Amino acid sequence: MKKTHAKFGAAVAALLVLSACSGNNNKNNVTPSPTPGQTTETPSKTGVTGTSFQNWGSYGYSLANNRHVPFKEITADNVKDLGVIWSTDLKSLDADVKNGNQSYPVVIDGVIYITTAGNQVFALDAVTGNTIWHWKPDAEQAASFSKAGIIANRGVAVGEGKVFMLAVDNSLISLDQKTGKLVKMVKLGDHIDGVTLENGYYETTAPQYYKGNVYIGSSGSDNGVRGFVAAFKASDLTPAWDSPFWTVPPKGQDWLANSKFQGGGTVWNPVAIDEETDIMYFATGNPAPDFYGANRPGDNPNTDSVVAVNAMTGKIVWAKQEVSHDLWDYDAAASPMILNATVKGQKKKIVVQGGKSGLWFAWDAATGDVVWDGIPFAKIDKKKPTPEGTVSYPGVLGGENYAPESYDPATNYVLIPGIESPTLYKSAKTEAEAATPDFPGAAAFGTAMEEVPNVKGYGTVTAINVDTGKQAYQIKTTDAQRGGLTSTDSGLAFFGELDGKINALDIKAGKVIWTFQTSGDNVQAAPSIFTVDDKEYIVFTTGGTKPKVHVFGLGGNKTQGKAGTAETGGAHSAQ
Amino acid sequence: MITKARLFVLFAAAAVLWLWTASHPEANAHAEVPRGRIELDQTSFVAKSWQSDGTHLTVIKGKLTYGEQPVANALLQVRPQGRNIVTREDGSFELLVDRSLIAYKPVSVVSVQDAMIAGKPIESEMADSILSASSMISVYHPIEVTKVATSETDASRVKVYARFIIEKNDKISFFQVDKYRISGKVEDANGSPVKDAIVWIDREIGEGFAKSTPTDRNGRYEMYYWPEEEETNLTVIVGTHRYTLPDGKVFILPRDTSVDIQIRLPKEGLIIDDKSPNLVCTTSAGAKYNGLLAGLDVPPGTPYSVTIPDRQGRFVLTVPKATWEKHPLFFETILTKFIAQDKVLRAGDELPIGLVKPGDQDPRLGHLPR
């Protein structure tokens, strides 16, 4: 019984801590770097396969995070001919690679940049899989974060000839894009008060690069840390703003006056940036303690929210909350998307986000005015947690967890990766405990959650018509959707499953038309799609105990792997 | 309402003694020898509670000059670790001040390498003067002294009754228990201390964890945590070795107390034997406190005491009469401190003499006249 709980705890933890990749200013996705005017050595001189490239330049393809590529080579008709071009077992490349993998690949000029659990970085030839360079933290640093709650990492940002990564121990790292040599490493705590492992902060998210700055958030809401977004100069990793943008008050003020905690509201997935306005949009985590709200009165503003901030100055533009006074760990987790879409018959720029609450929102990008207000894509049945325990839908996993949505402009559909799984929420155990004037803790669950017996969770992919705000369809998947989706101009969306399968969805029809069992364990990140010499490739990472990278293309090897099982696998452990 | 608030701020600002500002060379602005100067349009700010709309953030303008001439393209920094600020053509720059936390932050010139005056690189004799230019930003809660009375027990001392003035809707956290301490010793199988070991505890369920300081040469470590009678894993990391409890075993931390955990590592393998004397846990005294306090900016060793403020911000100082008569400044600090007393300290309790000391980034201020 206890073991079940422990496993569950680890799985939850793994989910709670997703991180993100980098974002790039690739309007045409041919430029190797988001910095205009920057030149890079021609790839042929670097030994990289290929001479022309269409890149996946950042976490969400573009800084708008739409995860939609303009490629049409792979279609509903020929998707059956997709196969493995190459795949690599990351542990065979370096035995110190940790279990679990949630890395969203960035692909620039024929080079795939991926991170691993435990903060290694690989630059791999996108066509051959050959290692171009590899960076790993030294043993002492690696040991320091091997027990830091979660060691997953969601990828890099690339800009100005450098590759940026956040390490678990709250370090910001820049590497030379060509050689992988360390350029600089800074401790966030040297610039942002209190951002240390000891205080409950840790990093899993990918940074984003934009206009000379690297934008970061952090994890740790459930440990009661104070959420923030900060900007650092890409050139020397010094702060770019006078102050981080803190999402919640300092400890001891406002709604945290009675709380030992510093609030929560962490930004644990990458920001989206509107390059026309310099406004960035990010989603924020839950308030702490998670299930006990008596000492954090009111709405707990800016938690479970989408916040718009000027990326140049760090000043707030607007903030909209999805869940007021959250008692269920309903983060706004996944990165928002910025869409130019037809809404209610008119073209409009909007920001959309689906929460762990199982509700999907759209706001006017400039004003934050509500466009679609909490459209359900999961079963909604939430009850106030009691000491005896109450069952609520969604559970602590969501809804939509960190897995990002994609947007297909042809159908005007947003595709949401969902989880259908309830949680038994228990608040403070006794009256005496509930009456404790200051409910303290280094960890802030306050106090427990459990699996609901005899309920098997599953996953969903929901298509929402942005014009009407209505569900076009919802498909069920065997297991929770933990990776996210990526769509193409040929009307396909690719996504993986926890049993190591990957799928192609016909977006218009709402049908999965191709499934392939990879040789890897579970897929906990969405694929990136790119071209080399006009050939379209899809790169997935898989996790579990044998973290791998798989590149697919037409004409690849169609030999499938052994049927997998849905383990979320080990991102919490240090195996 | 607005008028009232404004009046309050004006009053407070006017009443505060700006010791450091007064001694600042700006007073000699018209000296004959040109020199570098940083002007800020405001340097003192009354602290204001954090607001979700960002109104606790104030933008101020500044200018870097040499004599009467603007210095362009110089690098400025708000110490200790702020961003690099580049001055514009007219020497101007802007800064965002976070008024939600007390602060004393110098603003200084960190580089003039690319700086220009009237379109020309600066000459080396100017550089030193410009590099020595500085200003400061101070964010504080006004303090009011409501009564001063001779101590009833010691006629050489006075009791000074003071209070933080907090805006009506602002909520401030004064010094109070924050966490408990987990400390102890790590030894090898022979009982010799192990240096540079790190002790981790993390919850069996959920994400809570704490990491100790590396053990010193006596094998001592410490960390701070708030246990909730919960099951935790205990891990000791020595280099790249991880020692853990036996499979299926968890550590149960008692509630509301500091503890001492003595750990003796196994001779072979990586499993810590969970029996005495290899693993011994005892409760210990003390707790870690955190929150806002005030003190007097007097020479170290001056024997005065201060109490923990109550919810209204009221506190009492007991000060040698001679010290008080010199009109010392107050300082404010957000103190985090472990205090090894059995009794939990609360509002009104007197803190040990010498406990409350100002840090480099703590604001100093005079008090409002009654």
Side-chain angles (χ1 to χ4, degrees), chain A residues 255-286:
Chain A
W255 60 269
L256 291 163
N258 301 323
S259 177
K260 295 295 182 195
F261 300 105
Q262 299 178 57
T266 56
V267 180
W268 54 282
N269 282 291
V271 302
I273 301 175
D274 182 343
E275 296 175 52
E276 293 174 349
T277 62
D278 287 342
I279 297 176
M280 65 162 70
Y281 303 88
F282 51 84
T284 65
N286 57 284

mmCIF file of all heavy atoms in Angstrom, chain A residues 255-286:
data_model
loop_
_atom_site.group_PDB
_atom_site.id
_atom_site.type_symbol
_atom_site.label_atom_id
_atom_site.label_comp_id
_atom_site.label_asym_id
_atom_site.label_seq_id
_atom_site.Cartn_x
_atom_site.Cartn_y
_atom_site.Cartn_z
ATOM 1 N N TRP A 255 -1.685 38.527 0.977
ATOM 2 C CA TRP A 255 -2.360 37.268 1.302
ATOM 3 C C TRP A 255 -1.418 36.227 1.900
ATOM 4 O O TRP A 255 -1.861 35.171 2.337
ATOM 5 C CB TRP A 255 -3.131 36.721 0.101
ATOM 6 C CG TRP A 255 -2.333 36.410 -1.142
ATOM 7 C CD1 TRP A 255 -2.081 37.260 -2.168
ATOM 8 C CD2 TRP A 255 -1.719 35.160 -1.502
ATOM 9 N NE1 TRP A 255 -1.337 36.630 -3.147
ATOM 10 C CE2 TRP A 255 -1.109 35.341 -2.774
ATOM 11 C CE3 TRP A 255 -1.631 33.918 -0.886
ATOM 12 C CZ2 TRP A 255 -0.420 34.325 -3.429
ATOM 13 C CZ3 TRP A 255 -0.940 32.901 -1.547
ATOM 14 C CH2 TRP A 255 -0.352 33.107 -2.799
ATOM 15 N N LEU A 256 -0.131 36.549 1.967
ATOM 16 C CA LEU A 256 0.818 35.641 2.616
ATOM 17 C C LEU A 256 1.208 36.121 4.004
ATOM 18 O O LEU A 256 2.170 35.638 4.591
ATOM 19 C CB LEU A 256 2.061 35.492 1.745
ATOM 20 C CG LEU A 256 1.797 34.724 0.455
ATOM 21 C CD1 LEU A 256 2.904 34.938 -0.553
ATOM 22 C CD2 LEU A 256 1.645 33.245 0.772
ATOM 23 N N ALA A 257 0.444 37.087 4.525
ATOM 24 C CA ALA A 257 0.787 37.648 5.836
ATOM 25 C C ALA A 257 0.750 36.586 6.932
ATOM 26 O O ALA A 257 1.534 36.623 7.868
ATOM 27 C CB ALA A 257 -0.147 38.795 6.177
ATOM 28 N N ASN A 258 -0.160 35.620 6.805
ATOM 29 C CA ASN A 258 -0.305 34.616 7.860
ATOM 30 C C ASN A 258 0.381 33.311 7.534
ATOM 31 O O ASN A 258 0.232 32.329 8.237
ATOM 32 C CB ASN A 258 -1.789 34.306 8.091
ATOM 33 C CG ASN A 258 -2.540 35.531 8.478
ATOM 34 O OD1 ASN A 258 -2.016 36.377 9.206
ATOM 35 N ND2 ASN A 258 -3.757 35.669 7.989
ATOM 36 N N SER A 259 1.081 33.276 6.430
ATOM 37 C CA SER A 259 1.587 31.992 5.968
ATOM 38 C C SER A 259 3.091 31.911 6.129
ATOM 39 O O SER A 259 3.805 32.886 5.950
ATOM 40 C CB SER A 259 1.222 31.801 4.495
ATOM 41 O OG SER A 259 1.773 30.599 4.027
ATOM 42 N N LYS A 260 3.540 30.719 6.464
ATOM 43 C CA LYS A 260 4.976 30.483 6.501
ATOM 44 C C LYS A 260 5.536 30.362 5.097
ATOM 45 O O LYS A 260 6.734 30.397 4.887
ATOM 46 C CB LYS A 260 5.276 29.186 7.250
ATOM 47 C CG LYS A 260 4.896 29.229 8.696
ATOM 48 C CD LYS A 260 5.714 30.238 9.448
ATOM 49 C CE LYS A 260 5.352 30.232 10.903
ATOM 50 N NZ LYS A 260 5.865 31.430 11.577
ATOM 51 N N PHE A 261 4.654 30.153 4.161
ATOM 52 C CA PHE A 261 5.108 29.899 2.799
ATOM 53 C C PHE A 261 5.360 31.189 2.053
ATOM 54 O O PHE A 261 4.926 32.250 2.449
ATOM 55 C CB PHE A 261 4.085 29.051 2.069
ATOM 56 C CG PHE A 261 3.896 27.752 2.739
ATOM 57 C CD1 PHE A 261 2.768 27.499 3.486
ATOM 58 C CD2 PHE A 261 4.893 26.813 2.692
ATOM 59 C CE1 PHE A 261 2.625 26.316 4.151
ATOM 60 C CE2 PHE A 261 4.755 25.614 3.362
ATOM 61 C CZ PHE A 261 3.617 25.363 4.094
ATOM 62 N N GLN A 262 6.041 31.039 0.948
ATOM 63 C CA GLN A 262 6.293 32.207 0.126
ATOM 64 C C GLN A 262 5.358 32.235 -1.059
ATOM 65 O O GLN A 262 5.561 32.971 -2.000
ATOM 66 C CB GLN A 262 7.751 32.217 -0.313
ATOM 67 C CG GLN A 262 8.681 32.292 0.870
ATOM 68 C CD GLN A 262 10.121 32.245 0.453
ATOM 69 O OE1 GLN A 262 10.572 33.050 -0.326
ATOM 70 N NE2 GLN A 262 10.851 31.270 0.961
ATOM 71 N N GLY A 263 4.364 31.373 -1.047
ATOM 72 C CA GLY A 263 3.248 31.600 -1.940
ATOM 73 C C GLY A 263 2.989 30.687 -3.086
ATOM 74 O O GLY A 263 1.868 30.315 -3.333
ATOM 75 N N GLY A 264 4.014 30.283 -3.838
ATOM 76 C CA GLY A 264 3.765 29.502 -5.045
ATOM 77 C C GLY A 264 3.728 30.405 -6.269
ATOM 78 O O GLY A 264 4.411 31.423 -6.333
ATOM 79 N N GLY A 265 2.891 30.005 -7.241
ATOM 80 C CA GLY A 265 2.800 30.809 -8.461
ATOM 81 C C GLY A 265 4.049 30.754 -9.309
ATOM 82 O O GLY A 265 4.390 31.713 -9.992
ATOM 83 N N THR A 266 4.744 29.605 -9.271
ATOM 84 C CA THR A 266 5.964 29.520 -10.082
ATOM 85 C C THR A 266 5.633 29.355 -11.564
ATOM 86 O O THR A 266 4.564 28.865 -11.924
ATOM 87 C CB THR A 266 6.856 28.346 -9.650
ATOM 88 O OG1 THR A 266 6.087 27.149 -9.724
ATOM 89 C CG2 THR A 266 7.402 28.552 -8.255
ATOM 90 N N VAL A 267 6.578 29.731 -12.380
ATOM 91 C CA VAL A 267 6.423 29.680 -13.833
ATOM 92 C C VAL A 267 7.343 28.564 -14.311
ATOM 93 O O VAL A 267 8.530 28.772 -14.532
ATOM 94 C CB VAL A 267 6.789 31.038 -14.450
ATOM 95 C CG1 VAL A 267 6.622 30.995 -15.965
ATOM 96 C CG2 VAL A 267 5.916 32.128 -13.833
ATOM 97 N N TRP A 268 6.795 27.372 -14.392
ATOM 98 C CA TRP A 268 7.645 26.197 -14.612
ATOM 99 C C TRP A 268 7.563 25.661 -16.038
ATOM 100 O O TRP A 268 7.971 24.554 -16.320
ATOM 101 C CB TRP A 268 7.394 25.129 -13.562
ATOM 102 C CG TRP A 268 6.006 24.647 -13.339
ATOM 103 C CD1 TRP A 268 5.020 25.286 -12.637
ATOM 104 C CD2 TRP A 268 5.428 23.411 -13.779
ATOM 105 N NE1 TRP A 268 3.883 24.522 -12.636
ATOM 106 C CE2 TRP A 268 4.108 23.378 -13.314
ATOM 107 C CE3 TRP A 268 5.920 22.340 -14.515
ATOM 108 C CZ2 TRP A 268 3.248 22.295 -13.578
ATOM 109 C CZ3 TRP A 268 5.069 21.256 -14.764
ATOM 110 C CH2 TRP A 268 3.759 21.256 -14.295
ATOM 111 N N ASN A 269 7.055 26.483 -16.935
ATOM 112 C CA ASN A 269 7.142 26.181 -18.358
ATOM 113 C C ASN A 269 7.470 27.467 -19.105
ATOM 114 O O ASN A 269 7.263 28.556 -18.579
ATOM 115 C CB ASN A 269 5.835 25.546 -18.839
ATOM 116 C CG ASN A 269 5.770 24.087 -18.426
ATOM 117 O OD1 ASN A 269 6.523 23.264 -18.944
ATOM 118 N ND2 ASN A 269 4.933 23.781 -17.453
ATOM 119 N N PRO A 270 7.990 27.339 -20.333
ATOM 120 C CA PRO A 270 8.538 28.524 -21.003
ATOM 121 C C PRO A 270 7.495 29.600 -21.297
ATOM 122 O O PRO A 270 6.322 29.299 -21.528
ATOM 123 C CB PRO A 270 9.082 27.960 -22.312
ATOM 124 C CG PRO A 270 9.273 26.517 -22.064
ATOM 125 C CD PRO A 270 8.220 26.109 -21.097
ATOM 126 N N VAL A 271 7.963 30.814 -21.314
ATOM 127 C CA VAL A 271 7.098 31.932 -21.689
ATOM 128 C C VAL A 271 6.847 31.882 -23.194
ATOM 129 O O VAL A 271 7.623 31.303 -23.953
ATOM 130 C CB VAL A 271 7.740 33.287 -21.318
ATOM 131 C CG1 VAL A 271 8.031 33.359 -19.833
ATOM 132 C CG2 VAL A 271 9.028 33.530 -22.117
ATOM 133 N N ALA A 272 5.734 32.498 -23.618
ATOM 134 C CA ALA A 272 5.483 32.762 -25.041
ATOM 135 C C ALA A 272 5.695 34.256 -25.238
ATOM 136 O O ALA A 272 5.394 35.045 -24.342
ATOM 137 C CB ALA A 272 4.059 32.372 -25.409
ATOM 138 N N ILE A 273 6.237 34.634 -26.397
ATOM 139 C CA ILE A 273 6.531 36.054 -26.615
ATOM 140 C C ILE A 273 5.947 36.511 -27.950
ATOM 141 O O ILE A 273 6.139 35.858 -28.983
ATOM 142 C CB ILE A 273 8.050 36.318 -26.585
ATOM 143 C CG1 ILE A 273 8.630 35.891 -25.228
ATOM 144 C CG2 ILE A 273 8.345 37.808 -26.834
ATOM 145 C CD1 ILE A 273 10.142 35.982 -25.123
ATOM 146 N N ASP A 274 5.232 37.626 -27.917
ATOM 147 C CA ASP A 274 4.697 38.242 -29.119
ATOM 148 C C ASP A 274 5.762 39.198 -29.655
ATOM 149 O O ASP A 274 6.025 40.241 -29.052
ATOM 150 C CB ASP A 274 3.404 38.997 -28.779
ATOM 151 C CG ASP A 274 2.771 39.621 -30.015
ATOM 152 O OD1 ASP A 274 3.459 39.750 -31.044
ATOM 153 O OD2 ASP A 274 1.584 39.980 -29.935
ATOM 154 N N GLU A 275 6.359 38.830 -30.773
ATOM 155 C CA GLU A 275 7.465 39.628 -31.294
ATOM 156 C C GLU A 275 7.005 40.957 -31.874
ATOM 157 O O GLU A 275 7.825 41.836 -32.133
ATOM 158 C CB GLU A 275 8.222 38.814 -32.339
ATOM 159 C CG GLU A 275 8.857 37.576 -31.723
ATOM 160 C CD GLU A 275 9.504 36.679 -32.754
ATOM 161 O OE1 GLU A 275 10.313 37.184 -33.537
ATOM 162 O OE2 GLU A 275 9.186 35.477 -32.768
ATOM 163 N N GLU A 276 5.713 41.108 -32.094
ATOM 164 C CA GLU A 276 5.218 42.403 -32.596
ATOM 165 C C GLU A 276 5.064 43.420 -31.467
ATOM 166 O O GLU A 276 5.128 44.625 -31.686
ATOM 167 C CB GLU A 276 3.861 42.203 -33.278
ATOM 168 C CG GLU A 276 3.978 41.391 -34.558
ATOM 169 C CD GLU A 276 2.613 41.061 -35.157
ATOM 170 O OE1 GLU A 276 1.580 41.268 -34.480
ATOM 171 O OE2 GLU A 276 2.591 40.603 -36.298
ATOM 172 N N THR A 277 4.824 42.950 -30.272
ATOM 173 C CA THR A 277 4.531 43.878 -29.166
ATOM 174 C C THR A 277 5.537 43.803 -28.028
ATOM 175 O O THR A 277 5.474 44.613 -27.095
ATOM 176 C CB THR A 277 3.149 43.561 -28.565
ATOM 177 O OG1 THR A 277 3.194 42.221 -28.035
ATOM 178 C CG2 THR A 277 2.045 43.676 -29.596
ATOM 179 N N ASP A 278 6.438 42.833 -28.063
ATOM 180 C CA ASP A 278 7.362 42.577 -26.954
ATOM 181 C C ASP A 278 6.651 42.120 -25.678
ATOM 182 O O ASP A 278 7.248 42.123 -24.596
ATOM 183 C CB ASP A 278 8.224 43.803 -26.610
ATOM 184 C CG ASP A 278 9.295 44.079 -27.650
ATOM 185 O OD1 ASP A 278 9.601 43.160 -28.434
ATOM 186 O OD2 ASP A 278 9.814 45.212 -27.670
ATOM 187 N N ILE A 279 5.391 41.753 -25.781
ATOM 188 C CA ILE A 279 4.703 41.270 -24.572
ATOM 189 C C ILE A 279 4.904 39.763 -24.460
ATOM 190 O O ILE A 279 4.756 39.027 -25.440
ATOM 191 C CB ILE A 279 3.192 41.592 -24.603
ATOM 192 C CG1 ILE A 279 2.979 43.105 -24.630
ATOM 193 C CG2 ILE A 279 2.490 41.003 -23.371
ATOM 194 C CD1 ILE A 279 1.524 43.505 -24.761
ATOM 195 N N MET A 280 5.278 39.327 -23.265
ATOM 196 C CA MET A 280 5.399 37.890 -23.030
ATOM 197 C C MET A 280 4.213 37.412 -22.194
ATOM 198 O O MET A 280 3.611 38.186 -21.446
ATOM 199 C CB MET A 280 6.699 37.559 -22.300
ATOM 200 C CG MET A 280 6.784 38.107 -20.900
ATOM 201 S SD MET A 280 8.043 37.262 -19.943
ATOM 202 C CE MET A 280 9.473 37.877 -20.736
ATOM 203 N N TYR A 281 3.886 36.162 -22.376
ATOM 204 C CA TYR A 281 2.752 35.575 -21.663
ATOM 205 C C TYR A 281 3.243 34.295 -20.999
ATOM 206 O O TYR A 281 3.929 33.489 -21.628
ATOM 207 C CB TYR A 281 1.625 35.243 -22.643
ATOM 208 C CG TYR A 281 1.158 36.452 -23.425
ATOM 209 C CD1 TYR A 281 1.778 36.799 -24.626
ATOM 210 C CD2 TYR A 281 0.133 37.269 -22.948
ATOM 211 C CE1 TYR A 281 1.381 37.923 -25.337
ATOM 212 C CE2 TYR A 281 -0.274 38.394 -23.657
ATOM 213 C CZ TYR A 281 0.358 38.711 -24.852
ATOM 214 O OH TYR A 281 -0.037 39.828 -25.546
ATOM 215 N N PHE A 282 2.897 34.123 -19.741
ATOM 216 C CA PHE A 282 3.300 32.888 -19.082
ATOM 217 C C PHE A 282 2.216 32.403 -18.131
ATOM 218 O O PHE A 282 1.363 33.172 -17.689
ATOM 219 C CB PHE A 282 4.640 33.052 -18.357
ATOM 220 C CG PHE A 282 4.714 34.235 -17.432
ATOM 221 C CD1 PHE A 282 4.228 34.161 -16.142
ATOM 222 C CD2 PHE A 282 5.280 35.419 -17.862
ATOM 223 C CE1 PHE A 282 4.308 35.245 -15.297
ATOM 224 C CE2 PHE A 282 5.360 36.521 -17.018
ATOM 225 C CZ PHE A 282 4.868 36.437 -15.733
ATOM 226 N N ALA A 283 2.273 31.113 -17.847
ATOM 227 C CA ALA A 283 1.295 30.475 -16.983
ATOM 228 C C ALA A 283 1.931 30.253 -15.609
ATOM 229 O O ALA A 283 3.133 30.001 -15.521
ATOM 230 C CB ALA A 283 0.870 29.138 -17.589
ATOM 231 N N THR A 284 1.143 30.362 -14.563
ATOM 232 C CA THR A 284 1.692 30.280 -13.206
ATOM 233 C C THR A 284 1.118 29.094 -12.431
ATOM 234 O O THR A 284 -0.014 28.671 -12.659
ATOM 235 C CB THR A 284 1.404 31.562 -12.405
ATOM 236 O OG1 THR A 284 -0.001 31.685 -12.216
ATOM 237 C CG2 THR A 284 1.949 32.785 -13.111
ATOM 238 N N GLY A 285 1.892 28.622 -11.485
ATOM 239 C CA GLY A 285 1.529 27.456 -10.683
ATOM 240 C C GLY A 285 0.579 27.793 -9.544
ATOM 241 O O GLY A 285 0.171 28.940 -9.346
ATOM 242 N N ASN A 286 0.285 26.756 -8.782
ATOM 243 C CA ASN A 286 -0.704 26.859 -7.710
ATOM 244 C C ASN A 286 -0.153 27.620 -6.504
ATOM 245 O O ASN A 286 1.058 27.716 -6.330
ATOM 246 C CB ASN A 286 -1.117 25.450 -7.269
ATOM 247 C CG ASN A 286 0.083 24.629 -6.832
ATOM 248 O OD1 ASN A 286 0.850 24.149 -7.648
ATOM 249 N ND2 ASN A 286 0.277 24.491 -5.530
#
